[in-house]
Amino acid sequence: MAQKPSIPKGTRDFSPVEVSKRNYIISIMRRHFEQFGYQPIETPSFENSETLMGKYGEEGDRLIFKILNSGDYLDKVSPEELQQINYKKLTAKISEKALRYDLTVPFARYVVQHQNEIEFPFKRYQIQPVWRADRPQKGRFREFYQCDADVVGSTSLWQEVELVQLYDSVFAELGLEGVTIKINNRKVLSGIAEVIGASDKLIDFTVALDKLDKIGEDGVKKEMLEKGIAEEALAKVQPLFSFTGTVQEKLEKLSQLLTTSEEGQKGIEELRFICDNVMKLGLQKAQLDLDVTLARGLNYYTGAIFEVAAPAGIAMGSIGGGGRYDDLTGIFGLKNMSGVGISFGLDRIYLVLDELNLFPETITTATQVLFLYLGEPQAFDAMKAITFLRSKQVKAEMYPDAAKIDKQFKHAERRNIPFVVKEITGSSITLKCLRTGEQSQIDVSGILEKLT
């Protein structure tokens, strides 16, 4: 019995139209990355497990896809160890590699490994797939692309200002209005944990707070209590759940809340610098907002934190995010190398553009003109014309087989090919526009004029 074809949950096949649309988004991102001075790199799809594990927090570690060692992967495991079923110890022995969870940690590894070849500050962009063993849902996949831009080797807050501008410039060209770039600062979160007496629970506090939009205020409070954060601490943090006003008003409220925290005040000053300069320089389409509940659960953020929300009314998670990490490369032996970066969620951006019908119609058109197959003598003349058109960057092809003319026309219509050459006599060509039905008697140069 033939096997029914299928693919793993959380993965997708992409049709020619979908690939064209994805490439459209990527080409815009790539152009803006390079305009802002970022250089492209690529890293392997899988890394040594030790490179990835322990860098994303406990929840992140659980979502890393492990790769079984090739050959007899149980060779190093004793019968006693198999019976004990200690998953952490067992995993370390049967899996030495893992699919990358994001592009940031592999980038940190790249910087350390190639530090003698890199000119700092180093601005890089990277557009490659990543994998997470997450529960698939709308806009959340197990295999998806990340499009990252990072700067390492600079502590200047102007980098954060520029990254906000980069987000704005990409979304503006995509025609995406109403995007909100949310910003917070890890030092502010540390300050809040300090003033409520929960500094020892900082990670638990931020991980729970980061889930506010998913599980609501009650869910966040419940999780904090379960993690050992006291009722009195929750009472002190209550104002965070209804923090409203302009960016400047929120900064003033934060300043009052964190009067006794030196770390918190430092975070507020960083936020004030970034927000003030972004406002003065202006944004094209996006809005900048201070979100004090924004935590992003990754352990390596130390300063500014970013998250991008889709326009109101679009049921979608974040379409981008990032932040400042002061010593990410330290885990690989290179100390005091500060960095900051952002990521664009290609797959979610695609879904948003599709829902809002923002893709240009022209990007889905591959072949521009199809020459019908009219028999062998005309086939050579057709290929001669096609060769000329291709040399002029026109997308042209010939229907390859003898078939009824009606079938060939339907083939062009199904593929949304706008023009068909239905007859060739010497240098005279009959060109038909399938959208209007108009026919023209022209030569091959005339086709070029119509299509370019």
Side-chain angles (χ1 to χ4, degrees):
M1 183 176 178
Q3 180 182 342
K4 184 179 180 181
S6 64
I7 57 175
K9 288 182 179 179
T11 64
R12 296 150 296 160
D13 291 321
F14 296 103
S15 70
V17 169
E18 289 168 328
V19 171
S20 295
K21 289 180 176 180
R22 286 163 65 84
N23 287 343
Y24 164 75
I25 299 172
I26 289 171
S27 67
I28 287 176
M29 289 178 182
R30 182 176 284 115
R31 184 164 63 254
H32 285 274
F33 287 157
E34 293 180 359
Q35 282 178 350
F36 278 67
Y38 293 83
Q39 302 174 77
I41 70 163
E42 291 189 357
T43 59
S45 58
F46 57 93
E47 298 270 353
N48 293 324
S49 296
E50 61 187 17
T51 298
L52 304 179
M53 298 300 290
K55 312 303 189 302
Y56 306 102
E58 189 177 334
E59 290 199 10
D61 280 355
R62 286 201 294 268
L63 300 181
I64 292 175
F65 275 108
K66 285 80 174 177
I67 301 173
L68 286 176
N69 295 338
S70 56
D72 184 1
Y73 56 85
L74 291 174
D75 183 50
K76 298 178 182 178
V77 182
S78 67
E80 293 77 18
E81 287 174 316
L82 279 175
Q83 289 178 347
Q84 291 171 0
I85 317 180
N86 185 320
Y87 291 110
K88 285 190 177 180
K89 287 186 178 180
L90 195 59
T91 300
K93 290 200 169 187
I94 67 174
S95 174
E96 297 171 356
K97 299 175 182 64
L99 293 177
R100 61 173 172 242
Y101 176 92
D102 73 352
L103 299 179
T104 305
V105 170
F107 172 53
R109 189 267 310 151
Y110 174 94
V111 169
V112 176
Q113 196 168 341
H114 299 275
Q115 58 186 287
N116 295 327
E117 308 154 28
I118 292 173
E119 176 62 31
F120 295 102
F122 179 48
K123 302 172 76 170
R124 87 79 168 88
Y125 76 86
Q126 196 170 347
I127 302 173
Q128 288 187 277
V130 299
W131 294 266
R132 296 183 186 178
D134 215 341
R135 184 171 64 86
Q137 53 187 288
K138 182 182 179 183
R140 187 183 296 275
F141 307 101
R142 288 176 172 171
E143 178 185 61
F144 58 98
Y145 267 73
Q146 281 192 342
C147 310
D148 285 11
D150 288 78
V151 188
V152 289
S154 171
T155 58
S156 171
L157 293 176
W158 284 110
Q159 306 292 357
E160 278 87 338
V161 172
E162 185 179 76
L163 288 170
V164 173
Q165 291 182 312
L166 178 55
Y167 265 140
D168 179 51
S169 65
V170 169
F171 291 126
E173 184 166 348
L174 289 172
L176 196 54
E177 299 189 22
V179 164
T180 301
I181 303 170
K182 299 178 183 180
I183 186 172
N184 198 9
N185 193 293
R186 195 74 177 209
K187 296 181 181 73
V188 167
L189 293 168
S190 297
I192 294 169
E194 181 185 338
V195 299
I196 68 173
S199 291
D200 61 329
K201 299 283 186 181
L202 175 60
I203 299 299
D204 293 329
F205 171 75
T206 54
V207 167
L209 194 61
D210 196 48
K211 298 177 181 176
L212 182 63
D213 60 337
K214 298 173 186 172
I215 61 178
E217 181 180 335
D218 291 340
V220 169
K221 288 179 178 177
K222 180 184 177 186
E223 183 166 327
M224 286 183 177
L225 288 170
E226 289 172 351
K227 294 293 185 179
I229 297 173
E231 287 272 10
E232 309 86 78
L234 291 186
K236 292 178 183 177
V237 87
Q238 182 61 40
L240 293 183
F241 297 110
S242 55
F243 224 64
T244 58
T246 65
V247 170
Q248 296 302 329
E249 288 169 345
K250 289 177 181 178
L251 285 170
E252 289 306 316
K253 290 179 184 178
L254 265 183
S255 188
Q256 293 170 20
L257 180 66
L258 302 180
T259 303
T260 60
S261 172
E262 184 179 343
E263 178 84 349
Q265 290 295 329
K266 186 177 180 182
I268 291 169
E269 287 309 306
E270 291 180 4
L271 284 172
R272 185 172 281 117
F273 179 92
I274 298 165
C275 294
D276 284 354
N277 282 293
V278 167
M279 297 302 186
K280 288 175 185 175
L281 291 166
L283 295 173
Q284 300 174 65
K285 299 283 187 183
Q287 302 290 323
L288 182 67
D289 186 35
L290 172 58
D291 184 351
V292 293
T293 67
L294 177 60
R296 295 190 67 81
L298 301 182
N299 287 348
Y300 51 69
Y301 291 129
T302 55
I305 309 166
F306 299 106
E307 192 161 279
V308 184
I314 303 295
M316 186 68 63
S318 65
I319 57 175
R324 166 73 65 172
Y325 39 90
D326 277 338
D327 196 28
L328 184 62
T329 56
I331 56 181
F332 300 116
L334 183 60
K335 299 291 184 183
N336 303 316
M337 183 64 72
S338 185
V340 61
I342 58 173
S343 180
F344 290 80
L346 172 63
D347 298 284
R348 290 185 178 184
I349 292 170
Y350 178 105
L351 292 173
V352 172
L353 295 181
D354 211 37
E355 188 169 337
L356 295 174
N357 197 29
L358 291 176
F359 284 109
E361 287 186 19
T362 53
I363 66 170
T364 61
T365 301
T367 297
Q368 295 167 276
V369 56
L370 177 74
F371 285 66
L372 300 186
Y373 183 86
L374 304 168
E376 283 305 310
Q378 288 86 357
F380 179 81
D381 291 336
M383 288 303 298
K384 187 176 178 181
I386 288 168
T387 301
F388 170 78
L389 291 172
R390 287 172 178 168
S391 73
K392 301 299 181 181
Q393 313 309 313
V394 171
K395 299 170 185 175
E397 63 176 288
M398 180 178 70
Y399 193 89
D401 302 307
K404 292 182 178 179
I405 297 301
D406 184 55
K407 179 180 179 180
Q408 296 185 54
F409 267 109
K410 286 181 178 177
H411 175 77
E413 289 168 358
R414 284 193 294 266
R415 290 182 54 197
N416 294 315
I417 298 174
F419 290 95
V420 165
V421 170
K422 55 182 292 189
E423 190 175 343
I424 300 178
T425 307
S427 62
S428 179
I429 291 172
T430 304
L431 182 72
K432 182 173 183 177
C433 175
L434 294 187
R435 289 171 185 161
T436 65
E438 177 189 354
Q439 290 193 176
S440 308
Q441 291 294 131
I442 52 180
D443 60 14
V444 69
S445 298
I447 296 179
L448 190 62
E449 290 174 9
K450 282 187 175 289
L451 298 182
T452 57

